């Protein structure tokens, strides 16, 4: 288990979506083309083929909730929500939506 905080880990390097399921539907190919960079001012940028989409992120350590919100209407809006952190290592995050209705799971891997 990593001793780095969530902030230290997510702000180090770039990340890609390696797995995204919405219920039984594999939506990974919708998002795995983006390279995500998280900054210490709570902004996140997603780059894909020269296009950059800006968003925000936050982490509530009391509830272990990681929130992502992208500004523009893109495929990235699918992951605009509050995520529970299920696993954190220096090279991977596994998130689960805090709801049982959609049963969503998101994995970010460090590039």
């Amino acid at each position: 288990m990593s001793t780095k905080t969530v902030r230290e880990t997510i702000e180090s390097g770039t990340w890609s979506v390696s797995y995204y399921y919405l219920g039984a539907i594999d939506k990974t190919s919708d998002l795995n083309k983006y390279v995500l960079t998280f900054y210490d001012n709570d902004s996140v940028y997603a780059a894909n083929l020269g296009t950059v989409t800006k968003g925000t992120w936050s982490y509530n350590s009391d509830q272990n909730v990681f929130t992502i919100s992208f500004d523009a209407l893109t495929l990235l809006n699918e992951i605009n929500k509050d995520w529970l952190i299920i696993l954190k290592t220096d090279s991977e995050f596994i998130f689960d939506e805090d709801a049982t209705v959609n049963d969503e799971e998101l994995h970010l891997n460090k590039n």
Side-chain angles (χ1 to χ4, degrees), residues 20-27 78 97 102-105:
Y20 175 53
Y21 265 74
L22 174 59
I25 302 168
D26 183 354
K27 309 276 276 177
E78 293 188 39
E97 184 189 27
N102 292 331
D103 194 27
E104 289 181 70
E105 189 172 316

Side-chain angles (χ1 to χ4, degrees), residues 34-37 39 43-48 50-56 69-77 80:
Y34 290 93
V35 175
L36 306 172
T37 307
Y39 292 95
S43 63
V44 56
Y45 290 86
N48 178 24
T51 301
V52 177
T53 303
K54 182 181 185 291
T56 59
S69 180
F70 283 97
D71 301 338
L73 293 176
T74 67
L75 291 172
L76 293 163
N77 291 125
N80 282 359

Side-chain angles (χ1 to χ4, degrees), residues 25-65:
I25 302 168
D26 183 354
K27 309 276 276 177
T28 306
S29 63
D30 290 348
L31 301 173
N32 66 359
K33 299 165 193 72
Y34 290 93
V35 175
L36 306 172
T37 307
F38 295 85
Y39 292 95
D40 62 0
N41 64 357
D42 295 346
S43 63
V44 56
Y45 290 86
N48 178 24
L49 299 173
T51 301
V52 177
T53 303
K54 182 181 185 291
T56 59
W57 72 278
S58 63
Y59 175 62
N60 180 324
S61 60
D62 292 337
Q63 297 177 357
N64 198 35
V65 172

Side-chain angles (χ1 to χ4, degrees), residues 74-92:
T74 67
L75 291 172
L76 293 163
N77 291 125
E78 293 188 39
I79 61 172
N80 282 359
K81 58 187 66 176
D82 295 335
W83 295 96
L84 291 175
I85 298 176
I86 304 303
L87 174 76
K88 178 194 77 68
T89 69
D90 288 341
S91 60
E92 180 180 34

